[in-house]
Structures are given as structure tokens and as C-alpha cells.
Amino acid sequence: MKKVLLVFISLILNHSQAWTQTNISDSISTAKAKTKRVDFNVMPYINYNRTLDFMFGTIPMMMYKLDKKDTISPKSLSGISAVYTTNKSYFISSFNKWYFKEDNWRAQLFLATGNQNAQFFVDDIDVPDFYDYGTKANMINFILQRKVIKALYAGVGYAYAHYDTKYEDDIEPGSISHTNGLQFNVMYDSRDEVYYPTKGDKIKLRWLNYPTWFGNYINANKMISEYDKYFPMRNGTDVLAARFYGKFGLGNIAFEQQTTIGGNDIRGYSEGKYRGDGLIDLQAEYRYNFGKKMGLVGFVGLATIYGSDTESFNWKLYPGAGAGFRYRAFKTEKFNVGLDAAVGKGDWGLYFRIGEAF
């Protein structure tokens, strides 16, 4: 089996979080702030990961209105993430999330290139252990959605990825592969804001198809379901957020298309050890805000996987818990950056955040 571990997809997505959710105004103020058409900020990036070691970088980003006359659409978000690690990995990505035509249309575009020097777990040998590998990858992901009726969106998307992988001690033959995916999605979104919701629901169903006629080596499908619920607390100052997430592999799921416990689902796992054809998890997070620009979060979660090459990993429970700090990145919008620390089953992780986990 070709083994290309794609932990860095989660890493980049955690960094960029172009797929996380929109704005909330500051608490009560006597003077209404003047709204800028473009808010720009540059965030330094410093982090540590058990696989990638120390990470350094910069993330310039901006929030803006595509049409200044559009008072209904949330602000759009664009940015670039450039990160280098002390184990000689690097990642460069561009993330964009656009809202336009009075929020009747939404679009996302994510571009990334990188070289990840990491590890994967092998148990079908005399001495089960982690082995190093290096993967050069290029990715494109585009999604377009149209509002069907109030709060209900439907859309299509395309995802391309190319991988070139080499393994330590030739434990696996090197491989070059690519995937072309078609996506169909439906989303119900009743949140009061998209970057920092305080109430409402987001329910999202996605079907990803990788047909052989579209240039893939094997035919595969994935179904992804998400349900995020938000409860205002302390008279709307704080938020209690809850999440269900399921990713279900159908048919012939290659190693490249498997899912790994870690990242947003669930924090506390950074070694990339637990992976399989599918994953199910539940999470809860309390978001405590103090002052005008700062906040703390505490979170717990529980996950399970199936379809792992290591059968003893299947359908076991994998808990994760941790806490984090948040800082408001823009003056006129409630959009946070921050740092989370979490522990899992025999593992732990640090997570620099752009936006919230969900």
C-alpha cells in the first residue's frame, strides 16, 4: 500500500482556518466605530509540534467587503501563511473565504505547497515503531455555494493534490501520486455571525467523490458530516460551543485519503499515530471573554476511528482535553487568534489558531 501521510493538511488548515467561521461587534459602546472597507494585520507564527519540532513564520491577512454597498454579506477574509520548521519542513498557503451578493453566494479558495518531514506508525514488522518520511505536496481546493432558501446553502467544489513521498530506510517504496476530487455539499447556517458565533447552528453534509474517470488511481468516496451548536452564556459575553463530526470512507480508501485523529478533531494528538478510513468525534468548548480583546477557552472531546491498518486501534475511545488563550486580531471585527495546549491518549499538542476550532 502506498503510504503518504498527510498530517500537514491539518496543520495548514489549523494555521490558516480559512474554513472557520464570521464577525461579531465589540461589546456595548457609546460611540459607533467607523467601519473600514479593508482591515489588514500581520501575525507572527511561533509554535512547537512533536512531529515537526519548532515552527516559525508569518501570516499577513485582511478582512474586506467585496461590495461596499452590500450591508448584508459578512466581510470576506484572505491571507497567506508561510511557515518553516526546525526539522526542515516548510508550508506556504493562501486562504480565501468570500461572501457576496447579499450573502446569497459564498466561495472558498485554498492553495498550498509544502515539504513535510514527519513520521508514520508501522506495526506490521518485527518491531512496531514510527518511521520518518518526506512528502512534497501541492494542493488546490475550491468551493462555491448558493443560498437555496433562508439559511440553507448548496454547492459544488473541486480538490486537487499531488504528492511525492520518500521513506526512511526504504521501509516503503517511494511514490508519486495525485488525487482529483469532486465535492457536493449542503449547509444549514443559522449562526448570528460566521467568524465568532454566539448562538445558532451550522449543519453541513459533504460528499467527496474520487472517480477513476477523473484521473484517480482508484475509485473512492467520503461522506463528511458536521453539526456545530452555539449557546450564549453570561448574558451573551461568553459562548458554549458543541460539535459532532464524522468522516466516513466508502469503497477503496487509499492511505492518502484516510483520516488521522488530531488537529481540530480532536486536539491533543500530534504524532499522527491513529488513522483509519473513518472518524467520529464529539467536542465541547467554553469560550470565556474578558476585556475588549482577550479570552480563554477550555475544551474536551472524545473520538474513535475505524478501518485502521492497525486493527487494535479500531473503535477504541481517544479522549482529548486542553485550554487556550485568545486575542482579537482586528479592531472592527470579532476575529480571534490564539494558542491551544491539549493532551490526548499518550500524546499532546500545541496549536496556534487563526479563528476558532469550530
Side-chain angles (χ1 to χ4, degrees):
M1 180 184 292
K2 293 181 252 177
K3 297 196 171 186
V4 181
L5 182 59
L6 301 179
V7 177
F8 89 94
I9 296 178
S10 296
L11 173 71
I12 297 176
L13 290 178
N14 285 340
H15 295 167
S16 62
Q17 282 299 305
W19 327 111
T20 58
Q21 295 26 321
T22 283
N23 47 36
I24 184 174
S25 58
D26 230 341
S27 52
I28 299 174
S29 144
T30 55
K32 185 177 180 180
K34 183 179 179 180
T35 302
K36 295 181 180 180
R37 186 173 181 183
V38 178
D39 281 332
F40 179 79
N41 205 345
V42 179
M43 303 301 302
Y45 180 85
I46 302 175
N47 203 0
Y48 178 81
N49 181 285
R50 296 186 71 187
T51 299
L52 301 171
D53 299 331
F54 287 98
M55 294 170 275
F56 310 90
T58 183
I59 306 175
M61 56 184 177
M62 62 181 181
M63 300 185 78
Y64 53 94
K65 286 281 190 179
L66 288 174
D67 181 357
K68 64 181 181 181
K69 296 180 181 179
D70 184 352
T71 60
I72 297 176
S73 297
K75 283 190 174 180
S76 298
L77 173 70
S78 295
I80 297 173
S81 174
V83 177
Y84 180 80
T85 80
T86 53
N87 82 341
K88 298 182 180 180
S89 299
Y90 70 86
F91 313 101
I92 302 173
S93 66
S94 171
F95 52 92
N96 303 272
K97 191 163 189 176
W98 296 300
Y99 302 87
F100 51 101
K101 297 292 183 181
E102 297 184 337
D103 204 20
N104 285 306
W105 289 90
R106 296 179 175 185
Q108 301 173 11
L109 174 63
F110 178 73
L111 309 171
T113 185
N115 181 23
Q116 181 192 29
N117 299 310
Q119 62 183 13
F120 68 104
F121 186 77
V122 181
D123 76 330
D124 56 352
I125 57 176
D126 293 337
V127 181
D129 203 351
F130 287 96
Y131 285 84
D132 292 337
Y133 74 95
T135 295
K136 296 180 180 179
N138 298 290
M139 291 177 289
I140 301 172
N141 195 320
F142 177 74
I143 296 172
L144 180 65
Q145 293 178 317
R146 175 70 162 91
K147 183 182 287 186
V148 180
I149 57 175
K150 183 178 180 180
L152 182 65
Y153 294 81
V156 296
Y158 169 73
Y160 169 81
H162 182 273
Y163 316 107
D164 183 354
T165 302
K166 294 180 173 57
Y167 297 90
E168 176 191 36
D169 299 330
D170 295 323
I171 192 168
E172 293 283 345
S175 63
I176 298 176
S177 62
H178 65 267
T179 61
N180 290 280
L182 298 174
Q183 179 182 143
F184 304 91
N185 64 75
V186 178
M187 181 176 68
Y188 173 79
D189 186 0
S190 66
R191 296 168 299 167
D192 56 340
E193 307 289 346
V194 297
Y195 293 116
Y196 195 89
T198 61
K199 61 182 179 180
D201 303 87
K202 186 189 78 169
I203 303 171
K204 191 171 185 179
L205 299 174
R206 288 181 284 167
W207 173 43
L208 289 88
N209 180 230
Y210 301 91
T212 52
W213 61 262
F214 202 44
N216 297 288
Y217 295 117
I218 58 175
N219 185 66
N221 293 274
K222 281 193 276 188
M223 293 292 295
I224 302 174
S225 60
E226 303 172 53
Y227 179 25
D228 300 335
K229 178 75 174 179
Y230 304 92
F231 305 91
M233 309 294 288
R234 286 207 306 145
N235 296 320
T237 302
D238 299 343
V239 182
L240 175 62
R243 174 176 173 84
F244 165 82
Y245 178 83
K247 181 182 284 188
F248 308 98
L250 306 173
N252 298 315
I253 302 301
F255 189 85
E256 299 93 321
Q257 297 167 324
Q258 288 184 321
T259 185
T260 304
I261 297 179
N264 290 340
D265 301 284
I266 280 181
R267 285 162 284 180
Y269 296 85
S270 62
E271 289 185 314
K273 183 176 182 178
Y274 303 108
R275 60 184 297 116
D277 292 348
L279 176 149
I280 302 170
D281 75 70
L282 294 169
Q283 291 188 76
E285 179 173 291
Y286 191 91
R287 298 167 183 170
Y288 172 75
N289 295 291
F290 60 95
K292 292 184 176 181
K293 291 190 174 183
M294 292 182 287
L296 300 172
V297 301
F299 49 87
V300 295
L302 193 64
T304 190
I305 59 172
Y306 69 87
S308 174
D309 292 339
T310 304
E311 292 187 5
S312 61
F313 292 167
N314 290 324
W315 300 113
K316 298 294 176 63
L317 296 179
Y318 300 95
F325 173 78
R326 296 290 184 269
Y327 181 79
R328 184 167 172 167
F330 295 99
K331 291 182 179 180
T332 60
E333 306 295 334
K334 180 68 171 180
F335 184 91
N336 289 334
V337 298
L339 182 67
D340 292 342
V343 294
K345 184 177 181 179
D347 203 350
W348 59 275
L350 295 175
Y351 306 87
F352 182 88
R353 305 219 63 87
I354 300 292
E356 301 300 336
F358 57 88

